[in-house]
Amino acid sequence: QVQLVESGGGLVQAGGSLRLSCAASGRIFSIDAMGWYRQAPGKERELVATITRGGGTIYADSVKGRFTISRDNAKNTVYLQMNSLKPEDTGVYYCKGRVVVTIPVSYDYWGQGTQVTVSS
């Protein structure tokens, strides 16, 4: 079994910064893409950013230039540096990992989420 645990969420003023971390543990051969998603009350979960094992990144237009996704493959950890935060960034942030448990078997695993609240 694989577990993903997020940390780093909290309350911050508009214009501030937060750094989220998500560490994967368990039966892991390797991890392909990892990503961050968020969900605001009453809205669907949306992609924030993804990163491949080799470091290729994709960002939602709404966060481009403000957020940076990175990963440490040795630690099976993905990070999300969030700068210039806006109230509309408020929501529950979830991390996801495409985990290869045994070749060629892989599954998508989700963390339980961490709350990010940006005050105006």
Side-chain angles (χ1 to χ4, degrees), residues 25-91:
S25 61
R27 299 180 185 177
I28 299 172
F29 179 82
S30 64
I31 305 179
D32 294 330
M34 302 186 79
W36 289 95
Y37 299 74
R38 68 187 180 189
Q39 187 167 19
K43 295 185 177 181
E44 297 295 323
R45 188 174 300 183
E46 64 176 351
L47 172 71
V48 176
T50 63
I51 183 168
T52 67
R53 182 171 180 83
T57 58
I58 297 174
Y59 294 93
D61 288 341
S62 59
V63 308
K64 196 171 298 182
R66 300 186 297 119
F67 291 10
T68 302
I69 188 171
S70 61
R71 64 189 288 170
D72 185 335
N73 292 332
K75 297 181 178 180
N76 290 326
T77 299
V78 63
Y79 306 93
L80 186 68
Q81 178 67 46
M82 304 186 293
N83 298 325
S84 301
L85 283 162
K86 304 174 180 179
E88 52 262 44
D89 294 319
T90 293

Side-chain angles (χ1 to χ4, degrees), residues 64-120:
K64 196 171 298 182
R66 300 186 297 119
F67 291 10
T68 302
I69 188 171
S70 61
R71 64 189 288 170
D72 185 335
N73 292 332
K75 297 181 178 180
N76 290 326
T77 299
V78 63
Y79 306 93
L80 186 68
Q81 178 67 46
M82 304 186 293
N83 298 325
S84 301
L85 283 162
K86 304 174 180 179
E88 52 262 44
D89 294 319
T90 293
V92 179
Y93 283 68
Y94 301 88
C95 70
K96 185 186 78 172
R98 171 66 64 91
V99 178
V100 180
V101 292
T102 59
I103 299 174
V105 180
S106 64
Y107 301 97
D108 287 338
Y109 290 91
W110 291 85
Q112 293 189 354
T114 185
Q115 178 70 44
V116 172
T117 303
V118 184
S119 62
S120 60

